[in-house]
Amino acid sequence: MAAGIRLESVRKFFGANEVIKGIDLEIEPGEFVVLVGPSGCGKSTLLNLIAGLETLSSGHVFIGGQKVDTTPPRDRDIAMVFQSYALYPTKTVRQNITFGMETRRIPKAHQDAAVEEFTHLLQIDRFLQRKPGQLSGGQRQRVAMGRALVRNPAVFLFDEPLSNLDAKLRIEMRTEIKKLHQRLGKTAVYVTHDQIEAMTLATRIAVMDNGHIRQVADPATIYENPVDLFVAGFMGSPPMNMIRGRLVRDGGLFFAPLGDRDGVRFPIAAAEAARIGAPDGQEVVLGLRPETIFAAGTELPGPDRFVFERPVAVVEPTGPDTMIVFEIGGQDLIARVRPEDAHPPGTPFRFEVDMGKAKLFDAGTGLRI
Amino acid sequence: MRRRRTSGIVRPSGPGAVMLRGLLFAVLALFCLYYLVPLFVMVATSLKSLEEIRAGSFLSLPREITFDAWGKAWNAACVGVRCDGLEPYVWNSVLMTVPAVAISTILGALNGYALTKWRFPGADIIFALILFGAFIPFQVILLPMARTLGQLGLAGSVPGLILVHTVYGLAFTTLFFRNFFIGVSDGILQAAKVDGAGFFGIFFGIVLPMSLPAIVVTVIWQFTQIWNDFLFGVAFTVGDSNPVTVALNNVVNTSTGVKEYNVDMAAAIIAGLPTLLVYVVAGAYFVRGLSAGAVKG
């Protein structure tokens, strides 16, 4: 049975240092919520507060409708997967997996059935008699998952479970975690600093920064409609281009990059322009995702397109796409083009921008306009 | 495990290098001799008869090997007025050392575990105070301890010595385990807490099995300290409850009759053997434990 989680003005101090600065969050039963943010933003601490591995400084935590502020971890009906795997080095894989059931005095027959089911599912049934030291990183990761799964808890908590794996294995395990979630339908809270993991796994993403949640929404909204420059800059790889400049009202609404002497003026899309009441000359930041800048004429024509020419500064092939770095007014921008459209550095290049996907932010507050 | 004979680093060659190496080995050989000669003299002397000792050089090999001196040292030598050899005193030492080592090791492990993994306000101050105990010269506490043992009704007995050694060993055992546990990942503890284990469940189920290397080091250290202790033994026990170190002193210092060097030597080796044995046995475990339990990353 899945249980919801509710956080009410949760705060945590370490000494005088406030790490969690009043967080409210409601997680529905069966949801997969990813807490994402840079290191030190408090995401792991928040997870530990849900787990009961840290004591609340103030506020409340509810799991399955029960207030668990003073409930020890073992009575919260949770299971947790740790970044370091935290396997018991002197126990075999089997003992690692059954330890939690042993301490809960679950009947032997039930334990055996659970071990069989989940070790088979995770393909670690061949290693049951081995010690963690004899396993590879990926296998240890699976054992750590198995240890959480056999408990059949109401809530799964993941603390950067994939960050110690190599890139290929990480993608494999990511898919597997998603499959498991779809199959078991349990509530999961997942901490990561990897925005791709967040995008791929989450039903909802909570972007954290400096002890606050900046935005909670489904992955598409986070990506397409970030509330501020922080969220916009954190999600996406390569990151969103952020150009400083001014609004120009001149028979329409335009964006003029700072420091630009070539007179490039990005026309703001009509729908967006109609909404914006900011005065002429206001300082703003224009956000352009690299994939919204491409070689002119290579995509089907659409509304709100804008074409301009710049010399190529750097070419970075990634395989499926090639990144082209160029400059506007001394600010580096990245465009994502098809490999066959790339030009060598130094040559002029005609770029096309989909201004319909451009975002404007207030230069002072960083908030979306 | 594969063993390489050398580290594989390229070394200088040529006559100068050969001479330097020759010099190095000569110095090493000299030091070996320096350390081994006393042992040789003890073993050789203990295997000689008294006549041979008087006649020959103390560096010569025994002409005729006899174990008479060993037998006498074990069960016939006079310790003070009693002439039963060292045997009863060896048992005294065993009865004192084994419980004292066991109790101080397990309490040290608990201390180290609580100080590192169940942090409480003032834990560092408490650790500093415990550590301070490692620097107290034992002479200082002889009188207060004698009075304490008297109050407890343990004066002059083996249990009294067990208490003394346990209390004064705690500083060291706590230090050893605290330093070991500080390197154990907190994640393992957190996992165990989520798994539902409590303070002692985690201690006995997870932490203690992990700390075999620390246990071995502590046991070797404590065994050597307690077995070889003379001061507490001579101060807090009388006659029949003396540990073997005190009894050895009494054997060697017996002033009546002829000085039996062979018996003295045999007795000294008997008194010293158990620590050597513990070192070899526990040391073997230690090495095996290190290679078997090695978990990387």
Side-chain angles (χ1 to χ4, degrees), chain A residues 23-178:
Chain A
I23 281 184
D24 293 281
L25 181 64
E26 176 103 44
I27 299 172
E28 300 295 328
E31 253 195 309
F32 198 118
V33 170
V34 174
L35 304 176
V36 69
S39 7
C41 70
K43 55 193 191 298
S44 284
T45 305
L46 188 62
L47 192 74
N48 284 344
L49 287 170
I50 298 174
L53 293 169
E54 293 283 359
T55 309
L56 291 163
S57 297
S58 71
H60 303 290
V61 175
F62 298 83
I63 296 178
Q66 300 285 312
K67 195 195 266 190
V68 294
D69 297 354
T70 56
T71 311
R74 61 175 164 205
D75 299 326
R76 292 194 181 197
D77 202 8
I78 56 169
M80 196 158 169
V81 181
F82 296 86
Q83 177 178 5
S84 58
Y85 316 137
L87 299 178
Y88 312 128
T90 56
K91 293 185 181 297
T92 62
V93 167
R94 186 191 186 87
Q95 290 166 335
N96 260 284
I97 291 174
T98 54
F99 183 71
M101 295 190 286
E102 297 273 353
T103 56
R104 289 184 165 76
R105 305 213 158 65
I106 287 169
K108 192 86 178 63
H110 184 92
Q111 287 189 21
D112 290 342
V115 168
E116 178 147 350
E117 179 187 352
F118 288 106
T119 57
H120 183 75
L121 187 70
L122 290 163
Q123 297 156 28
I124 46 172
D125 36 4
R126 286 183 295 131
F127 311 125
L128 286 181
Q129 296 314 317
R130 295 213 197 148
K131 298 269 177 74
Q134 297 162 294
L135 301 178
S136 71
Q139 289 161 350
R140 284 183 213 171
Q141 173 58 46
R142 284 165 191 273
V143 175
M145 297 273 300
R147 184 171 65 182
L149 287 171
V150 289
R151 290 264 325 285
N152 192 26
V155 172
F156 283 106
L157 304 175
F158 298 90
D159 190 3
E160 308 212 22
L162 305 184
S163 54
N164 284 353
L165 297 179
D166 61 59
K168 189 160 169 270
L169 213 49
R170 187 152 49 203
I171 294 172
E172 220 177 281
M173 285 305 293
R174 202 168 70 197
T175 312
E176 233 162 288
I177 290 177
K178 189 152 193 175

Side-chain angles (χ1 to χ4, degrees), chain B residues 90-160:
Chain B
V90 168
W91 291 123
N92 280 347
S93 272
V94 170
L95 287 178
M96 161 189 82
T97 308
V98 172
V101 168
I103 298 170
S104 61
T105 301
I106 198 90
L107 287 181
L110 266 173
N111 279 350
Y113 168 62
L115 284 169
T116 53
K117 298 302 170 196
W118 295 77
R119 304 277 303 163
F120 50 90
D124 286 329
I125 292 168
I126 288 187
F127 175 62
L129 289 175
I130 293 177
L131 194 58
F132 189 60
F135 299 101
I136 296 177
F138 285 167
Q139 306 86 294
V140 172
I141 54 97
L142 283 181
L143 285 174
M145 186 45 93
R147 177 140 180 80
T148 308
L149 289 178
Q151 297 272 331
L152 292 173
L154 292 174
S157 70
V158 170

Side-chain angles (χ1 to χ4, degrees), chain B residues 5-294:
Chain B
R5 287 176 54 221
T6 65
S7 58
I9 298 172
V10 176
R11 295 206 169 91
S13 53
V18 171
M19 237 180 71
L20 273 177
R21 287 199 85 68
L23 197 67
L24 173 68
F25 281 112
V27 170
L28 288 175
L30 203 70
F31 274 99
C32 277
L33 218 64
Y34 182 74
Y35 274 90
L36 288 176
V37 163
L39 179 66
F40 168 77
V41 170
M42 282 183 75
V43 174
T45 308
S46 75
L47 296 174
K48 290 173 184 172
S49 63
L50 260 185
E51 294 78 53
E52 198 187 330
I53 294 172
R54 281 198 212 94
S57 150
F58 73 99
L59 277 174
S60 63
L61 280 166
R63 274 193 310 270
E64 228 176 303
I65 290 176
T66 161
F67 288 96
D68 291 353
W70 284 76
K72 187 165 183 200
W74 182 247
N75 57 23
C78 291
V79 180
V81 289
R82 197 174 140 187
C83 290
D84 295 335
L86 282 182
E87 189 187 353
Y89 304 99
V90 168
W91 291 123
N92 280 347
S93 272
V94 170
L95 287 178
M96 161 189 82
T97 308
V98 172
V101 168
I103 298 170
S104 61
T105 301
I106 198 90
L107 287 181
L110 266 173
N111 279 350
Y113 168 62
L115 284 169
T116 53
K117 298 302 170 196
W118 295 77
R119 304 277 303 163
F120 50 90
D124 286 329
I125 292 168
I126 288 187
F127 175 62
L129 289 175
I130 293 177
L131 194 58
F132 189 60
F135 299 101
I136 296 177
F138 285 167
Q139 306 86 294
V140 172
I141 54 97
L142 283 181
L143 285 174
M145 186 45 93
R147 177 140 180 80
T148 308
L149 289 178
Q151 297 272 331
L152 292 173
L154 292 174
S157 70
V158 170
L161 268 192
I162 293 176
L163 178 70
V164 176
H165 283 301
T166 302
V167 169
Y168 288 97
L170 271 182
F172 292 96
T173 58
T174 302
L175 173 68
F176 293 155
F177 279 101
R178 186 257 183 197
N179 285 356
F180 179 80
F181 289 143
I182 211 143
V184 171
S185 130
D186 285 342
I188 290 179
L189 272 286
Q190 294 183 335
K193 283 177 197 171
V194 173
D195 263 345
F199 183 87
F200 285 104
I202 297 175
F203 181 67
F204 289 109
I206 309 288
V207 166
L208 209 52
M210 284 176 67
S211 49
L212 187 66
I215 293 174
V216 170
V217 169
T218 310
V219 164
I220 291 176
W221 171 267
Q222 281 297 91
F223 192 94
T224 310
Q225 292 297 307
I226 297 173
W227 184 275
N228 288 342
D229 164 71
F230 180 79
L231 183 64
F232 287 154
V234 81
F236 299 137
T237 59
V238 281
D240 284 353
S241 59
N242 279 341
V244 70
T245 44
V246 178
L248 173 67
N249 177 64
N250 295 344
V251 166
V252 176
N253 286 343
T254 301
S255 46
T256 54
V258 204
K259 196 91 185 130
E260 294 176 300
Y261 288 110
N262 50 357
V263 176
D264 292 352
M265 296 297 182
I269 296 174
I270 289 173
L273 265 183
T275 50
L276 201 64
L277 194 75
V278 164
Y279 180 73
V280 171
V281 172
Y285 252 104
F286 182 50
V287 172
R288 207 170 63 191
L290 272 189
S291 48

Side-chain angles (χ1 to χ4, degrees), chain A residues 189-207:
Chain A
V189 184
Y190 188 107
V191 164
T192 182
H193 61 264
D194 179 347
Q195 43 95 14
I196 298 183
E197 250 171 54
M199 290 291 292
T200 48
L201 285 170
T203 54
R204 274 198 306 158
I205 295 176
V207 183

